[in-house]
Amino acid sequence: QVELVESGGGSVQAGGSLKLSCAYSGNTYSTYYMGWFRQDPGKAREGVAGIDSDGNTSYNDSVNGRFTISQDNAKNTLYLQMNSLKPEDTSMYSCAVGLGATTAPLRPWDEYNYWGQGTQVTVSS
């Protein structure tokens, strides 16, 4: 069992920055992959960024170059640094963890085993 708790969401003007955190606890695994997703009501969940246990990363084209995913294993925390935010980045952001090896750091959302409750990000123009 793994528990994930996000924080760091909020409201910011376009062009601004936010850093999301995802604290994880519970069982530990040698191979895994973690990701950030976002979802608006009535819309499909969208993968934003992913990282695997080797530190490989992958990004959605819409955030590539603006967002950075990282993790601090000593603090058991996953991060998403979001720069140059746009109004279209407004969404509920959630972190997730998938167990096992992966050939790509960002997987389809249904391949993740545990999810956090989400944190809202609102970007105004």
Side-chain angles (χ1 to χ4, degrees):
Q1 188 75 17
V2 177
E3 182 177 350
L4 305 168
V5 180
E6 301 97 335
S7 61
S11 297
V12 64
Q13 289 192 325
S17 298
L18 282 174
K19 187 173 185 177
L20 305 184
S21 299
C22 171
Y24 49 88
S25 60
N27 293 338
T28 58
Y29 301 88
S30 58
T31 55
Y32 59 88
Y33 44 97
M34 299 191 73
W36 286 98
F37 291 79
R38 60 189 182 190
Q39 187 174 25
D40 295 324
K43 295 187 178 181
R45 185 172 287 164
E46 178 184 51
V48 176
I51 188 168
D52 64 21
S53 49
D54 291 327
N56 301 305
T57 59
S58 181
Y59 298 91
N60 186 303
D61 288 344
S62 65
V63 306
N64 199 17
R66 299 187 297 123
F67 291 10
T68 302
I69 188 171
S70 63
Q71 63 181 86
D72 186 333
N73 290 328
K75 296 182 178 180
N76 287 349
T77 303
L78 178 74
Y79 300 102
L80 184 68
Q81 177 67 49
M82 305 186 294
N83 298 329
S84 302
L85 282 162
K86 304 175 181 180
E88 51 264 43
D89 294 319
T90 295
S91 191
M92 178 70 74
Y93 285 73
S94 300
C95 62
V97 61
L99 306 179
T102 180
T103 57
L106 184 59
R107 308 295 303 171
W109 69 267
D110 57 353
E111 295 185 14
Y112 290 78
N113 302 95
Y114 299 100
W115 291 82
Q117 82 290 348
T119 186
Q120 178 68 36
V121 171
T122 302
V123 184
S124 58
S125 57

